[in-house]
Amino acid sequence: MAKEKTYINKCAIKEHKFDDGGSVLNCAFGVDELKEHADENGWVNITISQRREPSEKGNTHYAYKDDYEPKKDNGGDDLPF
C-alpha cells in the first residue's frame, strides 16, 4: 500500500518557458509550514510535480514532502541525499 503524500499547501509554483526551449520554476513557500515538516537537522525534502492543468491562480506545479530517509552512515555529511 502506498504511503499517503503530505502536500505543501502554502506554496505557489509557476513554470516560465523561454523561446529557446528552456524553462524555470518560480517558487514561493510559506516558511512556517516548511518548519513544521523539517527533520531533526532542519532539512525538508520536497518533490515538485507538474499539474495536469494549471490552477485558477496559474500554478503549473505542486509540491509534497519527500519521505526519503538517507542512510545513517553517510560519512559525516548531513545533506539530505
Side-chain angles (χ1 to χ4, degrees), residues 7 11 13 17 21 24 28 32 34 37-38 43-45 47 50 58 61-64 71 73-75 78-80:
Y7 292 96
C11 71
I13 306 169
K17 293 184 179 183
V24 296
D32 291 338
L34 291 183
H37 298 299
W43 290 94
V44 181
N45 293 343
T47 298
Q50 188 171 15
H61 291 70
Y62 63 96
Y64 59 92
K71 294 179 181 178
D73 183 22
N74 60 4
D78 66 348
L79 293 177

Side-chain angles (χ1 to χ4, degrees), residues 50-64:
Q50 188 171 15
R51 293 175 176 264
R52 290 185 184 130
E53 297 289 329
S55 72
E56 294 175 357
K57 294 184 179 183
N59 291 314
T60 57
H61 291 70
Y62 63 96
Y64 59 92

Side-chain angles (χ1 to χ4, degrees), residues 1 6 24 28 31 33-34 38 46 52 58 67 72 78-79:
M1 186 166 128
T6 302
V24 296
V31 175
E33 183 177 1
L34 291 183
I46 297 172
R52 290 185 184 130
D67 291 326
K72 296 297 179 191
D78 66 348
L79 293 177

Side-chain angles (χ1 to χ4, degrees), residues 5-29:
K5 292 180 182 177
T6 302
Y7 292 96
I8 308 298
N9 295 309
K10 194 171 180 183
C11 71
I13 306 169
K14 297 179 183 179
E15 182 177 25
H16 176 78
K17 293 184 179 183
F18 297 98
D19 293 336
D20 66 1
S23 67
V24 296
L25 293 177
N26 294 313
C27 306
F29 293 96

